Amino acid sequence: MFLHLGSDVVVNLSDVIAILDLDVTSTSRITREFLTVAEDEGFVINVSEDLPKSFVITEIDKKSRVFVSPISTATLLKRAKNKGGIASL
């Protein structure tokens, strides 16, 4: 099953490691450092030019990717649950 992240971007649910809220997690220094390093090393893919609300960490073909999405974590989690990819919380 696939998870739509916005625009024309979809990822396989089995590749998803984490779905994180950008506003909540970016208050942490460690998260900001992680995102800075990921961007510097070319792992960050901006899904849209819209205001980012979440980021999704994936591992695709043994390569880490961080997708920055304009879709809220709540919506992404609902989509993942509807596809049967994430157990009920």
Side-chain angles (χ1 to χ4, degrees):
M1 295 294 174
F2 294 93
L3 178 63
H4 178 251
L5 302 178
S7 295
D8 293 331
V9 179
V10 294
V11 294
N12 195 322
L13 272 173
S14 64
D15 295 335
V16 174
I17 296 169
I19 299 172
L20 302 159
D21 185 280
L22 195 56
D23 286 336
V24 173
T25 58
S26 63
T27 59
S28 165
R29 179 184 54 82
I30 293 171
T31 303
R32 287 192 310 269
E33 287 177 14
F34 167 77
L35 290 171
T36 299
V37 169
E39 189 166 20
D40 291 345
E41 294 186 10
F43 298 138
V44 175
I45 299 167
N46 285 308
V47 171
S48 171
E49 296 295 321
D50 293 337
L51 183 67
K53 294 181 182 176
S54 62
F55 62 101
V56 179
I57 302 171
T58 64
E59 185 174 328
I60 302 170
D61 297 327
K62 298 186 181 182
K63 294 181 182 178
S64 297
R65 295 285 181 249
V66 178
F67 291 89
V68 179
S69 174
I71 300 172
S72 72
T73 55
T75 300
L76 291 174
L77 287 171
K78 284 179 191 175
R79 289 178 182 182
K81 284 182 183 179
N82 288 340
K83 300 288 184 183
I86 294 180
S88 295
L89 297 176

